């Protein structure tokens, strides 16, 4: 349906929402984003290990923050972005929006997992335990459950249209609940006076901030590259019977 | 008037039919034929508004059924493969609740009368779990004797019915057409009904 | 509007009365889960009293979740759900009525049993009172939120486990404020905030979830 719409009005920006136009465009963009991601990650890691000074309280162990914090930010932003694409799917009825949402979910879940894993690794030298039930880690854990629910629902429904609509609705329900869950967990945590991992924010030096930003950009570039790759795979699977795809795949060889 | 314009339906990734057009006027019946898997049920469910088409329009009195919503559903009676009959309820309770669900109020006498006509007169107080497949089908078809809706969409209404009940049902349908109603039905049997009977064959 | 609510609530209660084992199962489940904790954790009354409110809340949450699988499944299997969607009455209203009936059938019995289970776990009188009130306010929220998950997983393979994965994270705020009320009371900080928040959750979910569930049902029936 999306393809027909865009063929009728080729001047509209919606033409990029047709798999036929999107597939080659994404193919051209992926190497650039992936290349940028690799360069930025290398630069960020160099800064992390050789440029920024050790923390005056936590020593070197705090350096994992440069992965933990950007991953945690990404995990939350990607959930919002996923819900945005789910909403877009309902408004415009464009299948590509649903493919974007589905692809983002997997990357989001991976970043959530990385944030949890690095949080645990940071917690061990800092608090002496792998896991503390602090507000951030707990919210992050619940976010992982939300991602897993979304991914499982998509996987459990065979019909792609029903999967798109059902998971889209779940994403919208989830995004309404995320602030409520976050607020409740924070409130629960203050009541039980749990520990929290933070670094001394006032002492954040310029090079620390720059390193953090480099890592955030690196993660964004990586996200865009892998999401485009996943959407392309999804297009191949769904449009495998169409002529244009066969031609397109022929060109790539 | 019911109009179908350039309708295309898919199931999963499979194209069932495309470019389907037809119109149904007052007093007409459309018999949808086709092999198993040709999309008869999907077509009926799409016309009801249960399923969304891949593209195309379904118009009722010139307006899209998606925009009308409740006012279209008020004019519609759909009987699908499933009977909507609850095992735990008696025959009479089943019919009463089914008619109330479709927004109609009928007196006890009218309900019993309908059940008698469709041959369930002696079983009105029996729990539905004691009924045979054909008898359950009759409970759900009894709604047709009571409803005031204009458009009837019937998916294999004759399934599991014996000859005498089929004759009764065909009379009821003929009467509905005479009063200006419309019927859209699928069946593998021949439709022997007086009135304007159109045919549509879906090829897989 | 009220006639359709009346019809659906009475129909669902009548159906449950004719098949009472469904309601009883989730009630027994609730009791059994709670009575496993003294065996699994410790029979010390001090420990049980500390974890008691949380145990009862988690058990109520699981019992509700298990019963939610039945909310729409029977109507889905026998075709009544199609008729509900095609009815000229608003579907959201019918969903709301089904949730009300479900709460009367499974939520209220849990609330009634709570004082008894509270005694088993050594809770004091005022603790039991607060806990019971939080469950009275919280169980309808669980059912309303859960109805969305029940509608989304209708007819999906592995639906029961999937349902729990979808809705348990969404139950967290209710759980936190439900159990928080008792600890807050014991800490001498008052329970008004908790009850207002649970009340706010209830109002919000009454207003929003029936629409979401109705949309989910239509998606599942396509």
């Amino acid at each position: 349906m999306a393809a027909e719409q865009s063929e009728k009005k080729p001047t509209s920006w919606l033409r990029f929402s047709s798999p036929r136009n999107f597939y080659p465009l994404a193919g051209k963009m992926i190497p650039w984003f992936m290349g940028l991601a690799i360069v930025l990650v290398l630069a960020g890691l160099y800064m992390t290990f050789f440029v920024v000074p050790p923390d005056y309280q936590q020593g070197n162990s705090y350096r994992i923050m440069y992965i933990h914090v950007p991953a945690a930010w990404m995990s939350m932003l990607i959930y919002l972005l996923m819900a945005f694409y789910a909403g877009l799917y309902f408004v415009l009825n464009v299948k590509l929006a649903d493919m974007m949402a589905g692809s983002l979910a997997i990357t989001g879940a991976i970043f959530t997992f990385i944030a949890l894993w690095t949080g645990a690794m940071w917690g061990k030298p800092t608090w002496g335990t792998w896991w503390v039930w602090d507000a951030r880690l707990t919210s992050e854990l619940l976010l992982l459950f939300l991602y897993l629910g979304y991914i499982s629902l998509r996987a459990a429904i065979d019909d792609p249209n029903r999967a798109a609509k059902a998971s889209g609705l779940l994403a919208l329900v989830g995004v309404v609940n995320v602030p409520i869950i976050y607020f409740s967990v924070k409130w629960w945590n203050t009541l039980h006076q749990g520990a929290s991992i933070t670094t001394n924010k006032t002492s954040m030096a310029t090079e620390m901030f720059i390193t953090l930003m480099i890592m955030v950009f690196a993660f964004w570039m990586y996200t865009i590259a892998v999401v485009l790759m996943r959407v392309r795979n999804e297009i191949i699977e769904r449009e495998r019977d169409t002529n244009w795809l066969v031609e397109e795949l022929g060109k790539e060889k | 008037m019911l109009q179908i314009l350039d309708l295309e339906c898919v199931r999963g990734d499979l194209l069932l039919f495309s470019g389907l057009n037809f119109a149904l006027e007052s007093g007409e019946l459309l018999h949808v034929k086709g092999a198993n898997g040709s999309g008869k049920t999907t077509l009926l469910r799409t016309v009801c508004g249960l399923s969304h088409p891949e593209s195309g329009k379904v118009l009722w009195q010139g307006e899209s059924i998606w925009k009308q919503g409740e006012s279209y559903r008020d004019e519609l009676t759909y009987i699908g493969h499933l009977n909507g009959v609850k095992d735990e309820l008696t025959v009479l309770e089943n019919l009463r609740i089914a008619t109330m669900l479709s927004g109609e109020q009928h007196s006890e006498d009218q309900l019993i009368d309908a059940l008698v006509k469709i041959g369930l007169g002696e079983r009105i107080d029996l729990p539905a779990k004691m009924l045979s497949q054909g008898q359950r089908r009759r409970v759900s078809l009894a709604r047709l004797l009571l409803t005031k809706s204009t458009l009837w969409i019937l998916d294999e209404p004759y399934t599991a019915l014996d000859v005498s009940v089929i004759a009764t049902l065909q009379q009821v349908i003929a009467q509905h057409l005479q009063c200006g109603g419309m019927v859209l039905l699928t069946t593998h049997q021949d439709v022997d009904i007086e009135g304007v009977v159109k045919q549509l064959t879906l090829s897989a | 509007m009220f006639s359709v609510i009346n019809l659906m609530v009475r129909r669902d209660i009548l159906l449950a009365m004719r098949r009472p084992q469904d309601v009883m199962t989730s009630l027994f489940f609730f009791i059994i889960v709670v009575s496993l904790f003294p065996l699994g954790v410790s029979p010390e009354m001090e420990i049980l009293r500390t974890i008691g409110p949380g145990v009862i809340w988690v058990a109520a949450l699981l019992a509700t979740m298990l019963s939610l699988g039945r909310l729409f499944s029977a109507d889905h299997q026998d075709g009544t759900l199609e008729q509900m969607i095609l009815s000229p009455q608003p579907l959201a209203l019918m969903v709301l009525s089904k949730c009300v009936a479900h709460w009367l059938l499974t939520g209220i019995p849990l609330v009634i049993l709570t004082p008894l289970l509270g005694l088993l776990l050594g809770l004091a009188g005022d603790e039991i009172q607060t806990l019971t009130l939080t469950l009275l306010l919280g169980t309808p929220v669980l059912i309303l939120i859960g109805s969305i998950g029940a509608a989304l997983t209708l007819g999906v393979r592995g639906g029961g486990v999937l349902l729990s994965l979808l809705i348990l994270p969404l139950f967290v705020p209710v759980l936190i404020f439900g159990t928080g009320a008792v600890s807050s009371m014991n800490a001498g900080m008052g329970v008004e905030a908790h009850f207002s928040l649970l009340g706010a959750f209830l109002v919000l979910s009454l207003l929003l979830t029936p629409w979401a569930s109705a949309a989910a049902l239509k998606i599942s029936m396509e």
Side-chain angles (χ1 to χ4, degrees):
Chain A
M1 185 173 165
E4 283 164 21
Q5 262 179 2
S6 54
E7 270 160 24
K8 276 172 208 154
K9 35 178 181 175
T11 47
S12 147
W13 59 271
L14 269 175
R15 72 174 181 277
F16 291 115
S17 71
S18 135
R20 188 175 181 165
N21 293 322
F22 181 86
Y23 184 86
L25 180 71
K28 286 192 196 95
M29 282 154 66
I30 288 168
W32 291 98
F33 282 112
M34 205 36 125
L36 263 174
I38 292 169
V39 171
L40 285 169
V41 164
L42 289 176
L45 286 178
Y46 177 79
M47 297 279 283
T48 303
F49 286 111
F50 301 109
V51 178
V52 291
D55 189 78
Y56 72 98
Q57 280 174 326
Q58 300 175 32
N60 282 323
S61 66
Y62 95 107
R63 288 181 201 272
I64 200 154
M65 176 190 90
Y66 296 107
I67 294 176
H68 172 76
V69 172
W73 285 349
M74 291 303 289
S75 67
M76 288 179 244
L77 279 172
I78 288 177
Y79 198 88
L80 296 182
L81 200 60
M82 182 185 93
F84 170 76
Y85 273 110
L88 207 62
Y89 170 73
F90 283 117
V91 175
L92 300 177
N93 196 13
V94 168
K95 280 177 187 162
L96 194 69
D98 163 64
M99 295 185 204
M100 288 293 281
S103 306
L104 278 165
I106 298 169
T107 309
I110 292 170
F111 276 123
T112 316
F113 184 75
I114 292 174
L116 285 169
W117 190 261
T118 52
M121 281 165 68
W122 193 1
K124 182 67 182 169
T126 317
W127 301 102
T129 52
W130 292 107
W131 182 263
V132 282
W133 287 96
D134 89 318
R136 279 187 223 177
L137 282 179
T138 310
S139 310
E140 202 69 20
L141 185 66
L142 291 172
L143 188 63
L144 182 65
F145 294 157
L146 289 177
Y147 273 123
L148 292 180
Y150 176 88
I151 294 169
S152 315
L153 183 67
R154 276 184 87 87
I157 302 175
D158 293 322
D159 179 67
N161 282 331
R162 185 183 162 190
K165 286 179 186 167
S167 64
L169 186 71
L170 183 69
L172 293 179
V173 171
V175 87
V176 172
N177 274 280
V178 160
I180 301 175
I181 294 174
Y182 186 75
F183 161 75
S184 319
V185 169
K186 221 174 156 174
W187 191 92
W188 158 82
N189 193 244
T190 48
L191 187 79
H192 294 278
Q193 282 149 14
S196 184
I197 304 175
T198 45
T199 183
N200 202 339
K201 285 211 178 72
T202 50
S203 73
M204 170 104 68
T206 324
E207 59 262 40
M208 292 168 77
F209 179 74
I210 291 172
T211 312
L212 212 50
M213 282 303 121
I214 291 176
M215 286 308 258
V216 169
F217 275 109
F219 284 6
W220 267 118
M221 295 303 117
Y222 165 79
T223 305
I224 295 170
V226 291
V227 165
L228 291 180
M229 281 157 89
R230 242 180 245 124
V231 170
R232 264 165 66 99
N233 284 342
E234 184 116 354
I235 290 174
I236 291 179
E237 197 173 320
R238 288 201 199 177
E239 311 268 329
R240 59 182 178 273
D241 298 329
T242 57
N243 290 327
W244 71 264
L245 185 69
V246 177
E247 281 170 28
E248 199 64 50
L249 290 172
K251 268 190 247 166
E252 280 176 17
K253 280 175 194 162
Chain B
M1 188 174 76
L2 178 76
Q3 273 174 294
I4 306 299
L5 296 177
D6 202 21
L7 201 68
E8 176 180 322
C9 287
V10 296
R11 188 193 301 128
D13 287 331
L14 184 75
L15 178 72
L16 292 170
F17 50 82
S18 64
L20 189 72
N21 290 287
F22 66 81
L24 202 59
E25 305 267 359
S26 207
E28 289 182 342
L29 178 147
L30 183 72
H31 178 189
V32 182
K33 292 178 167 179
N36 289 336
S38 59
K40 297 187 297 283
T41 297
T42 308
L43 173 63
L44 261 51
R45 290 174 65 91
T46 308
V47 175
C48 285
L50 278 171
S51 301
H52 283 258
E54 191 71 3
S55 65
K57 284 182 182 144
V58 181
L59 304 180
W60 175 252
Q61 319 292 24
E63 214 189 322
S64 163
I65 60 164
W66 307 109
K67 292 198 181 108
Q68 295 182 46
E70 281 154 28
S71 61
Y72 173 63
R73 295 202 293 272
D74 205 21
E75 308 240 24
L76 172 87
T77 294
Y78 170 71
I79 293 181
H81 282 287
L82 299 165
N83 292 324
V85 171
K86 291 269 171 219
D87 277 352
E88 294 85 358
L89 301 179
T90 68
V91 171
L92 185 61
E93 285 167 339
N94 263 306
L95 183 61
R96 187 192 301 130
I97 288 173
T99 54
M100 285 170 86
L101 207 59
S102 54
E104 295 183 0
Q105 292 278 358
H106 298 282
S107 71
E108 203 78 359
D109 290 342
Q110 285 172 312
L111 295 172
I112 294 172
D113 195 38
L115 289 168
V116 169
K117 273 187 191 151
I118 205 130
L120 290 170
E122 285 155 19
R123 297 190 165 76
I124 53 171
D125 287 324
L126 222 56
K129 63 175 158 235
M130 319 269 282
L131 298 182
S132 74
Q133 216 38 49
Q135 288 168 330
R136 281 157 188 267
R137 195 66 181 155
R138 283 191 250 171
V139 177
S140 98
L141 289 168
R143 280 167 51 208
L144 295 178
L145 294 152
L146 296 162
T147 181
K148 294 174 199 74
S149 56
T150 327
L151 176 62
W152 293 0
I153 297 184
L154 314 174
D155 198 353
E156 299 286 350
Y158 300 153
T159 310
L161 295 185
D162 47 38
V163 185
S164 65
V165 189
I166 292 181
T168 313
L169 184 60
Q170 291 191 331
Q171 265 175 19
V172 173
I173 294 174
Q175 204 180 359
H176 178 62
L177 294 175
Q178 261 172 21
C179 302
M182 301 173 212
V183 179
L184 187 60
L185 67 78
T186 65
T187 173
H188 291 293
Q189 303 183 19
D190 290 329
V191 179
D192 182 22
I193 293 173
E194 275 180 55
V196 192
V197 177
K198 293 182 179 177
Q199 294 202 343
L200 173 78
T201 307
L202 296 175
S203 50
Chain C
M1 176 179 153
F2 289 106
S3 70
V4 65
I5 297 182
N6 189 16
L7 167 73
M8 292 300 290
V9 172
R10 284 172 63 166
R11 184 197 79 129
D12 277 15
I13 291 176
L14 180 66
L15 284 169
M17 291 299 158
R18 301 253 167 102
R19 188 194 275 270
Q21 62 270 37
D22 284 351
V23 172
M24 301 310 277
T25 324
S26 63
L27 211 54
F28 289 139
F29 177 84
F30 179 54
I31 300 168
I32 287 172
V33 168
V34 170
S35 45
L36 284 179
F37 276 84
L39 300 168
V41 181
S42 155
E44 286 283 330
M45 271 309 178
E46 252 333 285
I47 296 175
L48 288 178
R49 207 188 136 183
T50 331
I51 61 167
V55 167
I56 290 175
W57 251 100
V58 170
L61 203 129
L62 293 176
T64 308
M65 197 201 71
L66 276 185
S67 73
L68 278 168
R70 287 196 317 271
L71 185 57
F72 301 116
S73 64
D75 285 338
H76 174 63
Q77 273 160 19
D78 66 23
T80 313
L81 198 57
E82 286 175 349
Q83 298 299 337
M84 281 167 62
I85 293 175
L86 292 176
S87 156
Q89 334 257 16
L91 184 59
L93 218 53
M94 289 189 254
V95 170
L96 179 64
S97 322
K98 284 190 74 72
C99 290
V100 170
H102 196 77
W103 180 67
L104 293 172
L105 289 163
T106 62
I108 285 285
L110 294 186
V111 176
I112 292 172
L113 271 182
T114 298
L116 190 71
L117 293 174
L119 286 176
L120 286 182
L121 296 182
L123 298 185
D126 53 347
E127 288 175 323
I128 289 179
Q129 198 186 355
T130 309
L131 183 65
T132 312
L133 282 173
T134 60
L135 276 163
L136 190 67
L137 275 173
T139 41
V141 184
L142 299 182
I143 289 170
L144 286 163
I145 295 176
S147 72
I148 303 175
L152 283 174
T153 53
L154 212 52
V156 171
R157 68 187 125 81
V161 185
L162 190 59
L163 172 66
S164 54
L165 195 56
L166 299 190
I167 59 174
L168 283 181
L170 305 180
F171 282 176
V172 166
V174 186
L175 175 70
I176 286 176
F177 290 104
T179 52
V182 181
S183 13
S184 176
M185 183 192 70
N186 284 340
M189 290 195 289
V191 291
E192 288 83 4
H194 294 80
F195 281 115
S196 338
L197 275 165
L198 284 174
F201 289 159
L202 180 57
V203 172
L204 267 182
S205 46
L206 276 172
L207 289 174
L208 297 177
T209 57
W211 302 101
S213 299
L217 282 177
K218 285 182 186 164
I219 291 168
S220 293
M221 288 309 291
E222 269 198 27

